[in-house]
Amino acid sequence: MTKQVDVAILGSGPAGLTAAIYASRANLKVLVIEGPTPGGQLTTTTEVENFPGFPEGVYGPVLIDKMKKQAERFGAIVGSGKVEQAELTGSPKKIILNTGEILLSRAVILCLGSRSRMLGLEKEKELLGYGLSTCATCDGAFHKNKEVAVVGGGDSACEESLFLTRFASKVYLIHRRDILRASKIMQNRVFQNPKIEIIWNSVVVDLVGSRETLLKGIIIKNLLSGEERKLEVSGLFLAIGHVPDTEFLTGVQKDSQGYIIRPDPFRCYTNIPGVFVAGDCTDHIYRQAITAAGLGCMAAIDCYRWLEENP
């Protein structure tokens, strides 16, 4: 079956749904493809306290559901499915889904998001959002006057550790090597902070706790001695990198890490006419729901104006 629309939005996180709200309010025929993770990373979080308009906080899945309903209110259609192939250079753009459905669109907004690198532990899925986190900015405030741990050795891990000292009584920085990969200035800031203790040559091998009890601690293993011990922490923050979900794309200009490049950083155009981008698949710096939503708004406005100029 083939469908024809004005705008196809690939991804249904804050970027994709915000783009859908703006594009559908501009009286465009909009179809959102949810992708393999409907709602994106926000659906894996529990309480979101830093999204404007929710002074008491809001659960991630609830926030996504409200965005979805708002987009649908203005006429956007949100459909399930995963993109198998995207032919973006022609006109119209051709999207082939795993359901066999073919989508023809005048323009495309890529809101594919990114996924955090994980440790591969058995309880990760259960405890993600229940003490296990990939974002200190999002969840650090939940750990006031408590001990937490960060995994990683680069600039991101150092930045997360330093940020967490604003709330936590102690921060353990766990690194598998005996030297940090971070820049010297970041290393010096970590070394000089009395709240941060670096645990060298070590990895996390198990998580202690459940969704009912939340994370109660972690088991770490020294790679040199083989010794294992438990750290009683209320939070574990993974800072070992992100992977943008852009592997299947061809023709779109990406950087060495797979993030989609915007030739003009103040706009949401890609190198392909009629193809726009928003959210974490183009932003490896902020990675917040509100910045993704902002880029979604920008992409929809850029898209609408491009369609007006290219009827």
Side-chain angles (χ1 to χ4, degrees), residues 48-255:
V48 178
E49 291 190 322
N50 55 5
F51 199 91
F54 297 90
E56 306 302 324
V58 59
Y59 280 96
V62 173
L63 179 58
I64 286 294
D65 186 59
K66 288 179 179 292
M67 290 182 175
K68 180 180 176 180
K69 289 177 178 175
Q70 190 171 358
E72 290 174 333
R73 173 192 168 197
F74 296 115
I77 298 172
V78 180
S80 60
K82 178 183 178 183
V83 178
E84 292 287 339
Q85 186 178 345
E87 300 174 10
L88 302 177
T89 54
S91 181
K93 317 300 180 186
K94 184 178 181 181
I95 310 294
I96 301 175
L97 303 179
N98 62 341
T99 58
E101 191 173 18
I102 297 175
L103 182 61
L104 301 178
S105 180
R106 296 171 60 201
V108 172
I109 302 178
L110 303 171
C111 304
L112 300 164
S114 67
R115 61 187 185 273
S116 301
R117 295 185 189 276
M118 306 298 283
L119 298 174
L121 302 178
E122 183 179 350
K123 287 191 173 182
E124 276 182 338
K125 187 174 181 180
E126 177 186 358
L127 290 173
L128 187 61
Y130 294 83
L132 177 63
S133 174
T134 58
C135 177
T137 305
C138 309
D139 300 325
F142 295 123
H143 301 277
K144 289 181 179 179
N145 302 316
K146 298 178 181 178
E147 296 190 357
V148 300
V150 176
V151 176
D155 278 348
S156 293
C158 290
E159 288 172 5
E160 299 274 270
S161 299
L162 290 163
F163 179 81
L164 287 166
T165 60
R166 298 168 178 253
F167 309 99
S169 58
K170 187 176 186 65
V171 178
Y172 297 99
L173 177 56
I174 302 167
H175 186 40
R176 64 183 304 116
R177 299 171 59 196
D178 60 359
I179 185 173
L180 296 175
R181 302 188 317 273
S183 60
K184 287 297 181 183
I185 187 169
M186 292 303 299
Q187 290 189 42
N188 289 336
R189 289 174 183 170
V190 166
F191 295 149
Q192 293 169 8
N193 194 305
K195 282 190 173 184
I196 299 176
E197 177 183 334
I198 303 178
I199 302 178
W200 303 105
N201 301 305
S202 298
V203 294
V204 178
V205 295
D206 201 5
L207 307 177
V208 180
S210 65
R211 288 195 172 185
E212 290 71 30
T213 66
L214 306 181
L215 182 73
K216 305 298 288 185
I218 58 177
I219 306 298
I220 62 172
K221 178 180 180 180
N222 185 289
L223 296 175
L224 300 182
S225 66
E227 178 187 357
E228 294 186 4
R229 65 185 176 108
K230 178 182 178 182
L231 281 181
E232 293 186 355
V233 294
S234 66
L236 176 64
F237 294 82
L238 305 184
I240 51 178
H242 289 74
V243 181
D245 291 321
T246 61
E247 296 95 335
F248 70 94
L249 288 178
T250 58
V252 180
Q253 188 177 5
K254 297 178 277 188
D255 67 13

